[in-house]
Amino acid sequence: MSAILKKTENEVRDIIEINEELCDGCGRCLTGCAEGALALVDGKARLVSDVYCDGLGACLGHCPTGALKVIRRSAPAFEDHAAGLSYWPIQLRLVSPQAPAFDRPVLTLAADCSAFTGPAFHRVFLTEAYPLVRTCPKFDEAEPQIDRLAAILTAHPAIEEIRAPMMSVPCCGALAYIATQAVKKAGREGRVRLRLWLVSPRGQVSEEDIR
């Protein structure tokens, strides 16, 4: 929250402008914004906050009515940390493996329950604005998850590390298997580091040595 509330000085830079008359509220632009700068409010696309928008215009091509354009105006500087999650949706079986948000050195593969244990999860895994995907190692079938994660790794050679926070309970153990098999299937063994983290039901987060 502190990153969002922090006062920043304005600068003249590129930023998205939305024509409300042209916007039909389809919401397609939201899928093209990796920073989560756009939202649907009262049936119209809105810029949530200037600091969320990087001004690159990746959302423009998703708008069928031409309601979005990039302009130059005075605005607070873009804050990567303020953006929080860098991609949506985050469910592994729903994400697009080709999404540009995955062009980062670190990808977090989180077990579903781990994010709800306490604030430590957010401090460790969400403060750097790296992309995050989540799955349930117990209820989600393993092979489709392996295939989807392997597709992400194949499409994004920039990924050098997978952080895998999972609950410290037996039913979560398959998360490491999913990550390991995906790295093998993508042919990235030795080039993608797997870091396994255990999250306790009380919210403690600790990294495991898996060498």
Side-chain angles (χ1 to χ4, degrees):
M1 185 65 73
S2 60
I4 296 175
L5 296 179
K6 183 179 63 177
K7 184 178 180 180
T8 57
E9 294 183 1
N10 283 12
E11 60 184 42
V12 176
R13 66 178 183 89
D14 291 345
I15 196 165
I16 292 296
E17 183 179 78
I18 304 170
N19 186 323
E20 291 189 13
E21 293 184 3
L22 293 179
C23 178
D24 63 4
C26 69
R28 296 179 188 175
C29 59
L30 275 63
T31 63
C33 180
E35 290 72 34
L38 302 175
L40 285 181
V41 180
D42 296 330
K44 297 286 184 179
R46 311 279 188 185
L47 185 61
V48 176
S49 175
D50 289 353
V51 298
Y52 288 87
C53 179
D54 60 11
L56 296 179
C59 54
L60 268 61
H62 295 262
C63 179
T65 66
L68 281 68
K69 65 179 180 180
V70 175
I71 64 168
R72 289 188 65 81
R73 66 169 173 82
S74 177
F78 168 66
E79 295 185 11
D80 194 35
H81 295 300
L85 286 173
S86 60
Y87 180 81
W88 189 264
I90 60 172
Q91 190 174 58
L92 181 56
R93 61 185 176 186
L94 297 180
V95 302
S96 170
Q98 288 76 35
F102 293 125
D103 282 326
R104 302 294 303 278
V106 176
L107 172 65
T108 297
L109 172 69
D112 278 350
C113 298
S114 59
F116 300 97
T117 57
F121 178 95
H122 297 264
R123 289 196 299 268
V124 174
F125 301 108
L126 295 182
T127 57
E128 296 175 288
Y130 288 132
L132 176 146
V133 292
R134 56 101 173 166
T135 188
C136 178
K138 181 176 181 178
F139 291 113
D140 291 341
E141 192 175 346
E143 288 306 318
Q145 310 305 311
I146 293 170
D147 290 343
R148 184 60 58 93
L149 183 57
I152 294 173
L153 294 172
T154 300
H156 302 278
I159 298 175
E160 301 173 348
E161 177 179 301
I162 295 176
R163 297 176 183 175
M166 65 185 217
M167 297 297 296
S168 57
V169 292
C171 65
C172 244
L175 191 70
Y177 171 80
I178 291 171
T180 301
Q181 294 303 309
V183 170
K184 290 181 179 179
K185 189 162 190 173
R188 301 287 303 280
E189 289 179 281
R191 289 179 289 162
V192 175
R193 178 189 181 193
L194 175 60
R195 297 175 64 184
L196 182 64
W197 302 71
L198 290 183
V199 183
S200 77
R202 292 182 177 270
Q204 291 92 355
V205 177
S206 59
E207 186 172 3
E208 295 291 292
D209 186 352
I210 58 174
R211 290 177 297 175

